[in-house]
Amino acid sequence: MDLDPSTVALLLTAAALAGWVDAVVGGGGLLLLPALLVAAPGMPPATALGTNKLAAIAGTSAAAVTYARRTRVDWAVAGPAAGLAVLCAGVGAALAGAVPPSAYRPVVLVVLLSVALFVVVRPRLGVSSFPGRRTRGRVVVAVLVAGVGIALYDGLIGPGTGTFLVVAFTALVGADFLHGSAMAKVVNAGTNAGALAVFAVTGHVWWLLGAAMAVCNIVGAMVGARMALRRGAGFVRGVLLLVVVALVARLGYDQWLAG
């Protein structure tokens, strides 16, 4: 499949923007997946997902390293969740072709609307940390929710994974949005690795394009991570709400207006 230079430039720009969004709060797939499907209409959806994962793992890994160097990461939660995420995202990717979009869109829309409502009605959520919530039981639940449930979703569908991870860590173990985002990047790198391995084995990765987008994704991710660290949890909360609204609008359009 050949792409003209202007199309490649558009995809590289989308990859950089997606890296920025992913580094701050997740949801970069909202930008990059539609861009891939529109710019290369002959590309199978599985190949678009696999190519997106190649770009995304580069950006999330770069963001995770940036966060780890400049702020505290709760490795007791993020480490086990990331390990589980590699396996469970791989399972999700293997099942990706068996689940029609019409089956999952309504469920994801309800979850996203619930997330937006939860964040709006609890304005202090994620702005400050609540260490008292970090009990052993909550840590186990957070690891399972992130490493199993959200990781399966990432392999199956993808967009919004980082957003779900951030909200899970703030709600379950009392992290603020900044530290929740740092933990989310570690786990998201694991989900991307597991899904990418399956897509690669099944031949659903466009390596040359994906590698070029990966470079741009890294640049965007490093800028986004540093901006989040500099501006703090309030900034991350604002971006989170914007991303959730955009995800709802996109999925709502796909469900009721497209086609």
Side-chain angles (χ1 to χ4, degrees):
M1 187 181 299
D2 294 324
L3 298 177
D4 61 75
S6 61
T7 300
V8 172
L10 174 65
L11 289 173
L12 295 181
T13 301
L17 291 172
W20 187 92
V21 172
D22 264 336
V24 176
V25 76
L30 172 72
L31 294 170
L32 199 48
L33 269 175
L36 278 166
L37 292 170
V38 170
M43 181 183 292
T47 303
L49 282 167
T51 305
N52 172 64
K53 289 301 177 191
L54 178 56
I57 192 173
T60 51
S61 298
V65 170
T66 301
Y67 276 113
R69 286 178 174 174
R70 301 191 179 200
T71 192
R72 179 184 58 82
V73 175
D74 190 342
W75 290 105
V77 178
L84 281 172
V86 174
L87 175 64
C88 294
V91 172
L95 298 174
V99 182
S102 58
Y104 61 72
R105 282 190 195 126
V107 176
V108 177
L109 274 167
V110 171
V111 173
L112 283 168
L113 287 170
S114 300
V115 166
L117 181 63
F118 188 57
V119 174
V120 169
V121 300
R122 299 187 64 180
R124 293 189 62 199
L125 177 73
V127 176
S128 301
S129 62
F130 293 90
R133 291 182 186 170
R134 195 189 178 285
T135 63
R136 180 175 296 181
R138 283 176 169 266
V139 166
V140 172
V141 172
V143 168
L144 293 177
V145 168
V148 178
I150 297 176
L152 278 170
Y153 167 81
D154 193 26
L156 275 169
I157 310 166
T161 295
T163 306
F164 292 142
L165 287 169
V166 173
V167 172
F169 291 140
T170 55
L172 292 173
V173 293
D176 61 38
F177 279 132
L178 180 62
H179 291 90
S181 190
M183 295 159 67
K185 297 293 97 49
V186 175
V187 180
N188 210 173
T191 66
N192 286 332
L196 177 60
V198 172
F199 286 126
V201 168
T202 54
H204 287 296
V205 179
W206 193 352
W207 293 100
L208 186 59
L209 177 62
M213 291 194 304
V215 174
C216 295
N217 201 260
I218 288 172
V219 174
M222 293 180 71
V223 172
R226 290 172 181 174
M227 188 176 294
L229 287 163
R230 187 170 64 251
R231 297 196 177 186
F235 170 72
V236 177
R237 182 180 187 274
V239 176
L240 174 89
L241 285 171
L242 286 174
V243 169
V244 169
V245 170
L247 280 165
V248 168
R250 173 69 195 189
L251 287 172
Y253 174 82
D254 289 342
Q255 180 69 22
W256 292 296
L257 298 177

